[in-house]
Each structure stands twice: as structure tokens, then as C-alpha cells.
Amino acid sequence: MNFLREHSPFSSMDDTHLAHFAEHATLRFYADEDVVLSPEDGVVKRFYIVKQGRIRGERHNEKEDRAETTFEISQGECFPLAALIGERPTRTLHRASGDTFCLSIEQKAFITLFSESDSFRDFCLRGVSSLLDQVNQRIQSNAMASIGSSNSLDTPLERYALRNPIVCSPDLPVHKAVARMHENNVGSIIITDDNRHPTGIFTLRDLRTMIAEAKGPLDTPIRQVMTRDPCRLPATADAFEAAMLMAEHHFAHLCVVDENDLLIGVVSERDLFSLQRVDLVNLARTIGTATHLRTLVSLRADVSRLVDSMLAHGADSGQVVKIITTLNDVTVRRVLELNLKKDDPGIPFTWLTFGSEGRQEQTLLTDQDNGILFETPDGMTEEQVREKLLPFARKVNDELAECGFTLCKGNIMASNPKLCLSVAEWDDWFIRFIDASTPQNLVYSSIFLDMRAVFGPTDSLHRLLERVLARIRKNALFQKMLAGNALQRKPPLTMFRNFRYLNEEKKHVLDLKRQGLAPFVESIRVFALANGIENANTLERMEQLSKKGVFDAKDANAWKEAYSLIQAIRMRAHQEMLDRDEPLTNYIDPDDLNPLDRRILRESFRQAQRLQQKLEVTYQL
Amino acid sequence: MLEYIKQWLAQRRGGAIGDHDPGNLPEPKTVAEQQLSRCRLIVLDLETTGLNASKDEVIAIGAVAIEGGVIHLDDQFDLILRRPELDIRETVLIHGIGPEALTQGHETEDALLYLLEWMNGDPVLAYHSAFDQKFLEKTLKAQLGYARPHIWMDVAELLPALFPNSNVKGRGLDDWADFFGLEVSERHHAAADALVTAELTLIALNKARKNNVKTLKELAEKLHYQRRLKNMQRY
């Protein structure tokens, strides 16, 4: 009975319904490989719940004349749903995978429960994959409860920006525009053309600058002083996207437009963050305009505080890592800008980041992985360029270290001559990397194959990536080795679906990064590279793999969720370590988690196993 | 939830207890050609005040029925006997039944009569069955004057007989439960221990079927053979 109460849908069922189940249930045992249900058994007569062990669905593959595993059902899950509800034989052979106990009720008891219990019916109709949905809903509802309002960064912009924006035509004198802003008590005015397309924006900050710098008389037509081509987002975008765009460009206002680029509203930083009480934009702006290194260093503490309050407000882990990455990007850019001002090496370059920063998946625990890409100017050799760029890069690496980005122990940094390369050299580098795939190279794949530009022109990087992807797509052996490498790290579950701990000494410890996230990141990378996806972010890679039909949409969703949930648990653990003034690690003891989180974690690891299985099947490993 | 079910069971049994026909109890079965896949088996676990059958007493009885090769969760037996006069301080720590729970138990005679009716004379299995057999027979004799022999089988013998090559750490219930990865909800709670023993029995019966052991008689012979083998090894 305790078992039932811990598992969906029984956890949300009435006591009377649960009792009805218990009165009619039998407990059955199936040894490893025993057949539980078979299409030959005729119309399905019983409903089963796995109490312990696993059931796998087997379908015969006509082409290759062998059995294929189509699904797995583990502890707390039910079967067969479709066949029982459809009153037909099952189409899949259900076989025990390991010694398995199932609770079972007859069709009659099933029908009684199905008709009387809403939560049981919902569960059956939505199928087993709804479990993660449910877990997610619960996490979010907890988060909502702590915010105390139903607003979150997922809210579509139209909710914030429905009010009529204050607009004017381009010829209106500045003082009249300001009067209009004053009357309506707003901080911005949008300048539109005759068709209501936004062509510019003018804010109180612009007015301040105009007066302070004596840019012209107050009867100047506004089009001469407005900011042209204002940033805009469609109404379907959510508050999070708006916040990110604002943080990136240090704007406080964004235009909201419909599908024809017609203005529907304006959303301001205040609108977004009056709810969250998180001064993301302000922080990004402060970082982006800091004039001294020491200011940047002191601002890092604010980043940590911001993450803290975002987590406390229940922000989604994907959003938080992106925010950290964005703020890190802003910091890196500012360090570069400050150094360029002081001592410009005179050669244009692109600042690359690799690994987790390349994937936009940084947490508070982070070190530097960066490099430089340059186009060799006419009349110079690559060595000569390096002579100029390397001292500059060294300075930047050191200053970033002061800002809290630990120096990379493996010397994967722009100041390393091997990673400060011209386009042609990077090209050669990747050819060697892909064609001579040594074990060492495979270890580096998690760094160099997740690459992104943070500063400088992006065209040459884009072309470089295209060539790299084309080469990987053609090189089946490299893909296979990459896949083999991705399978090295197994999700920490035992045969019995319990947690497999790190080692004998650390008996109750899981490494959420290496054991939990890495199986996702590495498997997804193989699929992404093999299918020509340039984006390095794991969640976005999954999204695109699903769009391309490489992943089933349901699978992709389950994997995205599982990955995000592990990340969320990891980040929460980080914040707790910060609170206790402990050094940050990725280790947790699952016994410290509440039963729901433990369940989530186990479920998420199981999804990682499924993903790895897909990799094994795809590459026949 | 548990409370609800307990209440419900109590109601259902309420009628039965106190209304027995001691002269007309079910006939104990004998070992014969019963099909294991069909017959009903009782898996039982007792909690006692100690280990000494001549001086210690039964506190609680948990039992589960296996029929047709599956455990029927509605066919369970979970009783705490009323023994307020016993000094139970010694073992309370092991099984968690305190004096208060004891006094709420059923009148001993009623409970035992009910147990005999529920058992229906079917074969009884227990882990280290000699212990449970001794205590139960002693109690039945003392309280009811009942002394008819039942079939007893030891699950602690059954498992090594059917899984001779398994590398189990020790010989206890926990060792086998660990070996098969079973979860015990409340160890040293008669009903929970009985359920785990029954789960182990299901595993054993599954294996027996595969070894072509089909009847109760064949199973008894297998155990007999196992015992002789063990005795031979001893010398």
C-alpha cells in the first residue's frame, strides 16, 4: 500500500479508490525473460503495475528477423493501457527484463476505477509519458506558491504589453513628444510610420543625453534624435526572451509587434521585473558599461545574488543557466572592450568560447575555455599576428580570472598559441581532430565541438563550423567513435533501478554533472553533429533534432525535461552550498532529497538511459 | 489509507470473530499430487516475545495466501494477539509493537480460531519454518487444545534448493530479499515479513515450474533430497 501511495496515479487517488484497487489486486512474479503478455493471449484481461523490476516491449523486426525493444516500463508504471482501453489484444510482446513483480487487477476492477476515479482515468488516457509532465507541473506550482502570483518569465509578452503604446510621427518636435510622454506618465515614446510600423524609439534616457550633450534645440524633429530601428519581439515571445534581449543590448524598452511588424505595445524592464524583483537588465547594463576591472570583479557577487533570487522565485533551470551565460558573455565582452581601449592589438579577431560556455550552459561553477579566430591581414604571416594577439589574450585571460572565471587547468585559453589561430589554421586543426580521432581527441570533443563566438565578427566562424559539420557528417567512423565515447558515462541507476553511487568510498553520493547531465550532453552532441546542427546548446539541439524528425517529438520532450530537471536539482544544490559557505561541487546525496525529487531524479536518469539506448541502436554499438 | 483498510478488514472480520465452530474446523491437507500452479499456500510469519519456544509467546501473526501462483492481496491475515499480561520489553525494540497495540489485539481464542478457518488446512510456508511451527503449535495447543498436524515447508530450504548456485551472503530472510532486490516496507512487522517471504516463494515457485517440479509432492521430495544432501555434506 505504501508502494502505491508513492506512485502515480495512485498518489493522487482517493482512499476509497485506492482501497478498491488493493482489494482486487494480486501480486505476480516474472523471472527474467518470462513473457508477461503476448499478442497471442487474445483480448487483454488484466491491468498491471510494475512493483519492482522492468518490463520491456518487444516487437518483431521483419526485415532483420530479430526482436526489437520498443519501450520500457519500470517501477511504478502501468501497462497495457491502449490495449485494455481498446479491448483488444496487445500488439507488443511484454517480457520481464530482470526479475519483476507486478501488481495486477482484472479488467472489471480496472473499469470500476476507470469510471470512478478522475485521476486514474486521466492517467490512463494520457499515457505513461505524462509522468514527467506531472512532476513538472508540481515543481512549477511550488515555484508559483513561493512567488505568490501567477506571473512568471514564461508569460507571453502580450500579457504585459497590451496597453496602448504612446506613439508619434517622425516629424514631431522633441518637446511635444516629451509633453506627450509626461501626460501619459511613461518613459518612452515609439515613433511610427504611416502604417504603424515602429521606426524609432525615444526614451527619457535619450532626453537626458540630448540635453547633457547639447545635441540640439528642443524643437528638433524627433527622428533626428531617436534610436532608429528599435528592438522588437512578436507578441507570442515570452517575458524571458524579452529580458534576455534587454540584458544583451542594455535596453530598457522593447517594441511588441504582430506578425506584420505592426506595433501593438511596448514592454519595459520595469513591467517585467516589478514581478520578479530581479534587476537583470540593470546588472547587465552595469557590467556592460563598467569602466574598471575592479568594478567588474565586484559585480560578480551580484551575479550570484541574482541567480539566488531567480532560483528562489522558481525560474526554470534552462532560463537560469542562460542568464548566467548571458551575464558571463557581457562580462567577457566588457573585459575585451576595456583592454581594446587601453591597448588595441590592431587586428580584428573573434573571441571563441568552448565547452559549457559554448553550449550556454554555465552555472556558478565555471572556468575559462576560450580561443581566438582571426583572418590574417594581407602582408602578414600568422606568426606575426599571433605575436600581437597573444600578449593581449594573456591579459584578458588573467583579468577574467580576477572576475571569477578560473584559469583553465588544461590551458584551453586564447593565450595558448595553439588556440589562437587563423581561419585556415582552425580548418586544418579540425581536419586533424576529426580524421585522426585519438582517444585524447575524443576527450576534447566535449570542449571543441561545442563552440560559439562571444565577441567579434561571426561570419568566418559560421563558415568554419559549416565545414566542420560537413566533414563530421561524411565521417561515419568519427561519429561512431564519438558515440562510443558518449556511452562511457552511464546514468547512475542499478539493474533494479536504484541509484548507483559514485564509488565505494562515496557510498551515497551522485555526481550530477558527470553521471547525470553528461550522458545527455554527450549523446545529444553526437546526434546534433551527425545531423548538421550548428547550435551548441543541448536543449536547442534537442529541439532541432525533434524538428528534423531525428527524435520523436515525445521522446525529445521527455529528454528535454529530464535534462532540465537534473540541472534544476544541481543548481539548487549549488545555491544551498553557497548559503552554507561551502565550496561548490556537483555531488549530492539522494537521501537528502525529498521523495518527489528522488523520484524525479530516478525518472530523469532513466530517460538518459533511453537516450543512450537510441545512440547504441543508431550506431550499432 | 492503511487505517481505512484496517478498519474495513476489521469490519469484515468483525462478524467472523466470536462466531466459530471449534468442532468443525477445516481438515488439514496432506502432501499429494496438488498442482503447485493451482493450490492455495499460506505464507506466515510470527512475531514473538523472544526466541525460546518453551517460555516466549506469540504477539502477532501475519500471513499471505498464494493461489494460482499469485499473491492475492485481499487474502491476507494480519492480527495482533491480546497478551497484556506478558512482559514484552525485551523484544519490543525489534518489531515495534508496544504494550498499547498489544492490548488492542483480538481475544486470543477468537483470533486463533479465525486463523485456522482462514488457513483452510492449506500447506503453510515460513522462513525458518521450524521456529514458527513450534510457536504456533504450542499456542494452538495451549489456547484451543488443537493438535492436528499441518503441512509445513521451509522457505529457507526452498530457496537454496532451487537456486543452488546463487551467491547469497548469508542465510537470513534479509539476505535473500537483498539478493533478489526486494524492498521490505517494515521489517519485523509480521505482515510485511510474511509478504516478503511470499514474494520469495513466488520466485521459488516460478523456478520450480521451470525445473519441472509441478506438484506439492514433487516439491516436498525435492526438499527432502536437499536436506539429505546437506546432511551428507556435513559428515
Side-chain angles (χ1 to χ4, degrees), chain A residues 15-16 21 27 93 103 117 121 156 282 290 324 339 360 369 387 448 476 479 483 509 539 546:
Chain A
D15 285 357
T16 38
F21 183 91
L27 183 62
L93 184 79
L103 286 162
S117 166
R121 185 171 52 244
N282 190 26
I324 296 179
N339 274 291
Q360 299 180 278
D369 286 322
E387 260 171 48
F448 293 111
Q479 286 179 29
V509 169
L539 288 170
S546 155

Side-chain angles (χ1 to χ4, degrees), chain A residues 473-488:
Chain A
R473 290 191 82 165
K474 271 187 278 173
N475 192 332
L477 180 68
F478 181 72
Q479 286 179 29
K480 189 161 181 164
M481 288 182 69
L482 214 52
N485 188 55
L487 293 173
Q488 297 286 312

